[in-house]
Amino acid sequence: MTAAIPNLTAWRKQAASARIGRDVVGVTIVALAGGAAYFTFPDDLALLRSVMIAALFVLSLDLVVGYCGVATLGHAALYGAGAYAAGIACVRGIVDPLMLLGIGAIAGGLAALITGSIILRATGLPQLVLSIATLELGREAANKASRITGGSDGLTGIEPGALLGLFTFDLWGRTAYLFSLIVLVVLLFLLLRLVRSPFGLLCRGIKEDRIRIRSMGASVFPQLLKMYVVSGMVAGIAGALAAVTTGVVGLDSLGFEKSAMAIVMLVLGGAGSLYGALTGAAVFVVFEHVVSSINPFHWLSMVGALLIVVVLFLPRGLWSLAGQIERRLLRLRGVGE
Amino acid sequence: MTPLLDVRGLHKAFGGLVVASDISLALNPADRVALIGPNGAGKTSFVNMVSGALAPSSGSVSLAGRDITHMPEVRRVRLGLVRTFQVSRLFRSLTVREHVELAIRQRDGEAGIFSRGRPNSAVSDEAASHLDALGLLPDAGRLSREIAYGQQRLLELAIAMALAPKVLLLDEPAAGVPHDETARIERALDRLPPSLAILMIEHDMDLVFRFASRVVVLASGRVIGDGAPAEVADNARVREAYLGSYAHARRKP
């Protein structure tokens, strides 16, 4: 019965292998792909930038939906909070791009603290309804406060200064692209560390069985709220980045559709994996763009068809393909040894 | 000396259904007490009240002299009052080792978002020793849903032990386990630290009589017998309420 400890160093190695090295490789691949796209598609930088902003937003959604099991259709409230905060700050004279992202993060985090303390008290469908309600309240507030938000006309005149005082946002969107790429890569790395930390493990436990996690001495609500605030900060940064790089913020950034599309992207790529969130956002935005330029009349039905095919045949998302391929490769190597 | 766990006059009714009526029970370190009784006797409700998942209508629970009757479940766990579940409640997408590592981190308050705890290697070594003690080490990397049910029961035990309990409430540790694997669970129970106070609910009478030094019998929410296993087995009321109907069918299929 005493299964001899196979080999303590092997055991430790196995523990460490899933950790930092893998994340560094993953993030490097994303950075290289982003860099390669910059040179290969110089005319599509605006599209690629919107891919990255969508990816940041979907990453933030994955933190609460994929890792904590929160049901939300109100995530745009956090994105919109960041977008409006950064936009308003910029119009009022704070033009440093990094500072604007910081303002977006704080606004998104605060919005998450307020809405999270409401919606995280419920679960399932009531939670979903609460999330929609908070989103509608936020949207209505932005609509009514048209003197500072521009109301339904949108907030315009956002003209950020040069990045680090050196790089101005050029007409071709090069600075905006590289800025977005750096923000995405840095945040992706930090979030990968977060979801692999003991805290990330705890959140996955909460998602699966709250009764079990309580019997391990962990209270559920405070942990969920912490993750929700982190998610809000990331969503807020995504919103601020959109405001800074596009120069406008509209009511659609607080829209129900924005929330729903993010869920669609997340499911498409695979919830519960940050790479899945990234894949989903990239595939969805690019597919939408390509199909709508090929056929401007029927592109929405093509998007629908793609979703049906993926969800039916890969219920755990496109990214689950990568896991299947990895397992097959490992098996092949195992046979060879 | 105050008992480690002291339950006094615990009462609970759901409408007209009385699930606990004036139950008192004290546990000291190193105690091995079995709680038996027919289905619906209120055994699991009792464990739920002691662990904090269910609030009693009246009565008190104290741990090491401290009144914990109204303390939330999570704080009781941190004080060393740990339970397992009758039906394994494990995290389907977590590996065996992750369960134990999570329990260790949680016990040490290192699962917070900003906490900088011990290095992974230290936690991982401790997890290895818990898993090794229960013979689960070879399955450490597998998902909990992939291991056999008997092993899942052992993993429940490993999680509980990783939480460093002073009092352990075992809700049918051998429930649903095929007969040939019960021996493995029994050996695991035998090797738990002697100083631990254990209250075990169990239907398997062989296991109860071998494991427990004291047996408490519950029927319709009342204690109808309390004593050494042999004494309880001879008690006429107990035989009538429980053992008679179970003597020939000790195990559920």
Side-chain angles (χ1 to χ4, degrees):
Chain A
M1 161 121 178
T2 329
I5 295 193
N7 178 340
L8 210 56
T9 44
W11 160 272
R12 280 185 184 169
K13 222 170 170 180
Q14 187 195 342
S17 70
R19 308 202 192 239
I20 198 156
R22 232 185 136 106
D23 296 343
V24 171
V25 172
V27 169
T28 308
I29 291 173
V30 172
L32 289 177
Y38 177 79
F39 293 108
T40 350
F41 305 104
D43 300 329
D44 295 311
L45 292 185
L47 171 73
L48 294 171
R49 194 183 65 227
S50 66
V51 165
M52 292 188 291
I53 291 170
L56 268 180
F57 183 46
V58 179
L59 281 176
S60 78
L61 183 67
D62 199 15
L63 291 182
V64 289
V65 173
Y67 286 90
C68 296
V70 173
T72 174
L73 273 168
H75 213 59
L78 314 178
Y79 176 92
Y84 271 109
I88 292 166
C90 188
V91 171
R92 312 238 152 170
I94 300 175
V95 293
D96 180 67
L98 285 176
M99 204 176 276
L100 290 173
L101 289 202
I103 289 170
I106 293 168
L110 279 176
L113 192 63
I114 296 164
T115 59
S117 48
I118 299 168
I119 75 167
L120 297 175
R121 296 194 184 274
T123 52
L125 285 177
Q127 185 168 57
L128 203 64
V129 172
L130 283 177
S131 73
I132 296 171
T134 55
L135 175 65
E136 294 303 326
L137 283 175
R139 184 185 162 90
E140 199 43 37
N143 190 22
K144 284 275 152 51
S146 54
R147 280 177 59 192
I148 48 170
T149 61
S152 52
D153 296 334
L155 181 66
T156 51
I158 302 167
E159 287 163 9
L163 187 58
L164 301 173
L166 295 173
F167 309 99
T168 49
F169 286 92
D170 53 295
L171 212 53
W172 301 276
R174 287 177 194 147
T175 306
Y177 177 86
L178 293 173
F179 182 42
S180 306
L181 179 61
I182 291 166
V183 171
L184 175 66
V185 166
V186 169
L187 283 176
L188 175 65
F189 181 72
L190 293 176
L191 295 183
L192 282 168
R193 301 307 301 150
L194 178 70
V195 299
R196 296 207 208 297
S197 71
F199 177 71
L201 196 57
L202 179 60
C203 288
R204 285 166 62 202
I206 291 174
K207 179 190 175 188
E208 293 213 16
D209 191 339
R210 292 176 177 216
I211 292 176
R212 202 355 156 179
I213 213 81
R214 284 203 184 93
S215 74
M216 289 165 79
S219 29
V220 170
F221 177 76
Q223 312 301 335
L224 286 180
L225 190 59
K226 283 178 208 160
M227 193 58 131
Y228 200 71
V229 169
V230 172
S231 168
M233 291 174 75
V234 177
I237 291 175
L241 194 58
V244 166
T245 55
T246 60
V248 288
V249 180
L251 279 179
D252 60 322
S253 68
L254 280 167
F256 177 76
E257 197 184 330
K258 178 118 202 138
S259 304
M261 280 303 144
I263 291 273
V264 168
M265 292 182 214
L266 182 57
V267 172
L268 179 70
S273 152
L274 294 183
Y275 294 114
L278 214 56
T279 310
V283 169
F284 186 91
V285 177
V286 171
F287 185 83
E288 192 184 27
H289 175 81
V290 170
V291 174
S292 65
S293 61
I294 295 173
N295 189 329
F297 301 105
H298 297 297
W299 66 276
L300 262 175
S301 31
M302 307 276 279
V303 171
L306 168 78
L307 286 175
I308 290 172
V309 169
V310 171
V311 173
L312 280 184
F313 293 101
L314 288 169
R316 304 191 60 200
L318 288 169
W319 184 249
S320 66
L321 267 179
Q324 287 175 22
I325 292 168
E326 188 189 359
R327 269 192 296 281
R328 207 154 290 177
L329 285 177
L330 283 178
R331 209 172 300 153
L332 280 180
R333 220 166 57 178
V335 170
E337 271 165 13
Chain B
M1 197 185 95
T2 49
L4 183 54
L5 178 73
D6 196 5
V7 179
R8 285 198 189 161
L10 216 54
H11 190 91
K12 178 79 186 176
F14 295 107
L17 177 70
V18 178
V19 293
S21 171
D22 196 26
I23 302 179
S24 295
L25 199 154
L27 236 64
N28 287 306
D31 273 0
R32 295 287 186 273
V33 178
L35 185 65
I36 64 171
N39 284 326
K43 303 183 297 290
T44 295
S45 297
F46 178 74
V47 166
N48 283 342
M49 281 188 275
V50 175
S51 71
L54 185 66
S57 315
S58 63
S60 71
V61 182
S62 30
L63 184 69
R66 181 171 175 186
D67 184 9
I68 58 165
T69 316
H70 303 291
M71 185 183 275
E73 180 177 11
V74 293
R75 288 186 51 209
R76 299 185 197 207
V77 175
R78 290 176 207 160
L79 290 179
L81 181 58
V82 174
R83 71 168 297 178
T84 64
F85 291 90
Q86 185 179 350
V87 177
S88 285
R89 298 191 82 117
L90 298 167
F91 308 119
R92 291 172 50 79
S93 73
L94 264 55
T95 63
V96 168
R97 73 182 297 161
E98 281 176 326
H99 281 82
V100 179
E101 287 179 358
L102 177 55
I104 294 171
R105 291 286 192 189
Q106 183 52 44
R107 175 198 72 202
D108 295 345
E110 292 177 355
I113 191 164
F114 297 119
S115 38
R116 302 231 44 86
R118 291 186 287 163
N120 288 327
S121 61
V123 171
S124 155
D125 286 356
E126 193 198 324
S129 73
H130 286 299
L131 290 174
D132 190 41
L134 294 167
L136 285 173
L137 203 51
D139 299 304
R142 294 172 71 193
L143 295 177
S144 67
R145 62 167 187 260
E146 296 171 346
I147 60 176
Y149 195 71
Q151 288 172 308
Q152 293 184 10
R153 304 302 293 164
L154 290 170
L155 178 54
E156 283 265 349
L157 211 51
I159 294 169
M161 292 317 297
L163 293 168
K166 295 190 182 80
V167 176
L168 186 57
L169 308 171
L170 297 171
D171 196 352
E172 298 198 36
V177 174
H179 185 208
D180 50 337
E181 284 183 49
T182 340
R184 200 169 159 197
I185 299 212
E186 202 177 323
R187 276 202 303 274
L189 293 176
D190 278 342
R191 297 213 313 229
L192 293 177
S195 64
L196 190 59
I198 301 178
L199 178 71
M200 175 172 80
I201 294 181
E202 187 49 68
H203 271 303
D204 183 333
M205 285 305 130
D206 292 341
L207 186 53
V208 165
F209 286 110
R210 276 202 296 269
F211 172 81
S213 53
R214 184 178 145 209
V215 177
V216 176
V217 191
L218 216 57
S220 309
R222 282 175 189 285
V223 176
I224 59 162
D226 185 344
E231 250 173 79
V232 168
D234 287 339
N235 182 321
R237 279 175 71 204
V238 173
R239 293 184 83 92
E240 185 191 337
Y242 185 56
L243 292 172
S245 60
Y246 267 84
H248 304 291
R250 284 187 288 231
R251 291 185 194 93
K252 288 183 283 183

